Amino acid sequence: MTRVLLVGGGGREDAICRAMVRSEASVYAVLKNENPSILRLSTDHRIMDETDHEKILKFARESGVELAFIGPDPVLNTPLVDRLWQSGIPVASPSLSAARIETSKEYMRAVLTRHSIEGNIPSRTLTDAAELSSYLRDLGTGFVVKPVGLTGGKGVRVMGDHFRTPAEGLSYANEVLDRDGRVLIEEKIQGEEFSLQAFTDGERVAPMPIAQDYKRAFEGDTGPNTGGMGAITDGDHSLPFLRDDVRDRAVGIMQQIIRAMKEEGNLFRGVMYGQFMQTAKDLRVIEINARFADPEGINVLHILDDDLLDILFSIAEGNLRTYVNFHGKSTVLKYLVPVGYGSNPEPGVLEVGDPGNPDVDIYYAAVSGTLSRVRMSSSRSLAMIATAQSIEEASHAVEESMKCISGRFYHRRDIGSPELMKRKLELAGIRQ
Ligand code: AMP
Ligand code: GLY
């Protein structure tokens, strides 16, 4: 059996681990929480700081791993991938320098500008308080304030959503500037957001089904931003409220970014994940990330109809096929989180029963304990996912199976519901 190192212990890594085991890999896991699913599936594991390179390298060497894969973005923001390659272990994740496409929003915008790639958003990075206030005074449009580096999805503030007046935006921008020495201001774009993930060996690109992530904590897309409360995919691998050409155009943008990075001598090998926005007449790039999304990565890995290990080896070796197969079913995933998640979480214990439906499955995230009794942390706990002929049916199936979990938790019932899907179609001006 092929031995593989997997770093990370969330729901996304549980899905990666399961797909690796389906490929008959023997998984050696490094994670900071005692995720009961990863612990059960892996051959060996270490519970530890996921950025302690010396210890990880020692574990990888002693275990004789032949390939490594990194899940979480904070780990990609360290030289672990480079160090694994230096010690002779191939990695199907981007180097520290290539991961800058995610870890520096300034670099990402600059790549789009330098190579005239479609979908850029007017933006500026500022390092001076006086310039910042005069820039915002002259802007005359809605804007978004972003820290330049990683924020775990939580540091971005959008006018109209998180602050109302330019003065409130300026005050937050000054806070970021004081803390980080720089702040990114972007024009505010309106439209329907979606996620496109793709495998790439730095040259060839194999796209995955489009997904949509629900970031806001509460139903009706209200409340604070979170890491993601759930996600949907559709059987045709696009989404009902996206225009016909949108998926191909998003894939095209991603191909251009990957080509541009190669030309600049910054080869990107691994999984790239773009957040895009379909506006009234356009397509815009909100963010580019250097990894599987969480939860969207779980949706797509759940329906992967191909050998993950083969794909990951071909990424590391630079001979990826450009077509990867996925089942043609819709998926809906809903995260179960502690009550108060996003502001003041109250983690407790959950008893996990049988979902009672072969089309429903449960992935384990930031929890410890056993498969049938988990201790929650302040983060996302369990991901319940269903496959069905339609998004609405899959959403219903998840709701039906929620009764197999007992304990205090919260989840968004509206993800994939008929009402929400109908509203999105109306908003996009698409009638069915
Ligand atoms: P990010 O962490 O950059 O993905 O941003 C978090 C969320 O903020 C995104 O998912 C969008 O909903 C929103 N957002 C980010 N940039 C913009 C923008 N330029 N215009 C409108 N909304 C944005
Ligand atoms: N789904 C949001 C993220 O993975 O960043």
Side-chain angles (χ1 to χ4, degrees), residues 144 146 156 158 186-189 193 215 275 286-287:
V144 180
K146 298 187 175 191
V156 171
V158 181
E186 268 180 23
E187 191 176 299
K188 180 183 171 180
I189 306 297
E193 251 182 289
K215 283 197 166 53
Q275 278 171 248
I286 298 283
E287 246 187 29

Side-chain angles (χ1 to χ4, degrees), residues 304-343:
L304 176 67
D305 187 21
D306 232 314
D307 189 301
L308 182 63
L309 205 58
D310 274 356
I311 299 167
L312 297 182
F313 267 111
S314 67
I315 287 173
E317 287 161 3
N319 54 13
L320 177 70
R321 286 178 278 135
T322 49
Y323 198 81
V324 169
N325 289 298
F326 293 85
H327 293 291
K329 288 277 184 67
S330 304
T331 69
V332 170
L333 179 154
K334 305 188 191 193
Y335 256 122
L336 287 76
V337 300
V339 172
Y341 173 63
S343 50

